[in-house]
Amino acid sequence: MDPQPSQIPQAVDALKRGGLVILPTETVYGLAADAANARAVAAVYAAKGRPSFNPLIAHVAEVATARRIARFDDRAEALAARFWPGPLTLVLPIADERAVCDLARAGLDSVAVRAPAHPLSRALLEAFGGPLVAPSANRSGRPSPTTFADAVEETGASAAAALDGGSCAIGLESTVIALLDEPRLLRPGSVTRAEIEAVIGALSEADADARRSPGRLARHYAPNAPVRLEAEGPKPGEAFLAFGPADARDRTWNLSPTRDLVEAAANLFAHLRAADRSGASAIAVAPIPQEGLGEAINDRLRRAAGFVG
Ligand code: TXA
Ligand code: MG
């Protein structure tokens, strides 16, 4: 297959500018963004129309890159040696929090990594030189696209570039294995349980809760200070996360002065951390409209405020 080398520089350029790229892999088409760029990652969630922030897979060209991002143990080394590049994703403790931003990990202290086998995804990852997050390129609640035409129809309008790699050879998402304590199968895929167990021994069953809510597998970032939602402004001693035009004040961080929800999503975790570190008695947060990415932002804020487990 012709790996369309001519389109790679243009796609790298788009990614460096924070744009999104439709990317073929051997499993399904992905919607790729620079994993370190929270603004670009927020645009991925917006394009998919996800009502909450699911953690994304960081794609790498080489095991060496994955080792810089995540903490590899013997089991991870053995599985990567046997199945990479290929349709296997490993969930491991995060090692470099900047390489894969908080928003891409949905605030977890773990990260999912995979080295895809498709020549075009490999070429793009090598040329880009860092990890790319790439959820399946479908809109939320729809099947994963396995042809270029389907991927473009789903999320093409949000992409700055699109690479046509033909039909996906596998057509089923990667197998996801968590190696945080007991090895667990989080998502069955084309690498079978038997193939995994032949390398690292018996897999524990992930319970339905762990599959629905990966947060149960690892810690979600949660501020120490209490969080007060729908606040018109800070009370004395409180930090404030503003949304929209606001006076610059001590302990005030603005999620988006222009009320741009993509910008607010990109700033959410960093601003929560900064407000938490400020020593404030509580973190007051301005009302965020429940539309577009606002739904996911409010979901995350309600969790931070302790309203959802
Ligand atoms: O085949 C694939 O994996 C495709 C291609 C494009 O690479 N990508 C894909 O991504 O299916 P996505 O975002 O649709 O699915 C990612 C899966 C989700 O089930 C998510 O919950 C899980 O990986 N995941 C990601 N990070 C995780 C983490 N830190 N802990 C637990 N699960 C995680
Ligand atoms: Mg998906």
Side-chain angles (χ1 to χ4, degrees):
M1 183 194 46
D2 174 11
Q4 291 178 297
S6 59
Q7 290 191 20
I8 299 283
Q10 187 204 338
V12 167
D13 229 55
L15 292 165
K16 299 261 186 214
R17 286 197 309 265
L20 312 185
V21 171
I22 293 214
L23 175 70
T25 83
E26 73 280 22
T27 58
V28 300
Y29 272 81
L31 184 63
D34 178 355
N37 181 340
R39 184 77 191 240
V41 173
V44 169
Y45 288 112
K48 286 186 62 80
R50 270 187 179 165
S52 64
F53 298 125
N54 268 3
L56 306 179
I57 298 169
H59 295 69
V60 297
E62 306 290 341
V63 188
T65 313
R67 284 195 199 102
R68 279 199 294 276
I69 298 169
R71 286 214 302 278
F72 270 60
D73 61 12
D74 291 348
R75 302 169 302 186
E77 291 290 354
L79 288 173
R82 169 73 179 77
F83 295 108
W84 283 5
L88 177 69
T89 295
L90 301 176
V91 174
L92 302 169
I94 183 75
D96 180 349
E97 297 190 350
R98 278 168 190 245
V100 182
C101 66
D102 267 317
L103 187 62
R105 289 179 283 111
L108 292 169
D109 58 6
S110 60
V111 64
V113 284
R114 139 167 147 83
H118 193 291
L120 259 185
S121 42
R122 290 180 59 77
L124 183 68
L125 285 162
E126 271 163 25
F128 181 71
L132 295 174
V133 288
S136 48
N138 52 289
R139 294 185 55 80
S140 184
R142 300 187 29 91
S144 300
T146 56
T147 66
F148 182 66
D150 285 349
V152 168
E153 186 186 323
E154 286 288 324
T155 49
S158 309
L163 300 177
D164 184 352
S167 290
C168 301
I170 294 175
L172 180 68
E173 294 90 342
S174 62
T175 304
V176 181
I177 302 287
L179 295 173
L180 298 171
D181 41 49
E182 297 298 296
R184 286 174 210 280
L185 178 65
L186 296 189
R187 181 173 74 182
S190 63
V191 176
T192 65
R193 167 190 288 275
E195 287 177 298
I196 306 263
E197 291 186 333
V199 178
I200 59 165
L203 286 171
S204 303
E205 200 52 64
D207 55 20
D209 277 351
R211 282 197 302 269
R212 244 196 332 267
S213 163
R216 286 169 193 266
L217 287 170
R219 231 163 1 93
H220 259 285
Y221 167 71
N224 293 314
V227 173
R228 187 167 69 82
L229 302 178
E230 312 276 332
E232 293 307 327
K235 294 178 182 164
E238 284 185 339
F240 186 49
L241 300 194
F243 180 74
D247 298 338
R249 263 191 293 214
D250 266 6
R251 289 181 175 161
T252 291
W253 289 265
N254 205 323
L255 291 168
S256 173
T258 59
R259 304 178 62 84
D260 172 350
L261 288 165
V262 173
E263 181 182 20
N267 284 330
L268 181 64
F269 286 98
H271 285 6
L272 270 176
R273 280 184 204 274
D276 201 21
R277 276 196 304 264
S278 73
S281 58
I283 304 169
V285 186
I288 308 291
Q290 185 73 357
E291 64 194 42
L293 266 191
E295 207 178 334
I297 294 170
N298 283 323
D299 171 77
R300 197 65 189 76
L301 284 170
R302 278 195 299 275
R303 287 170 200 281
F307 293 132
V308 193

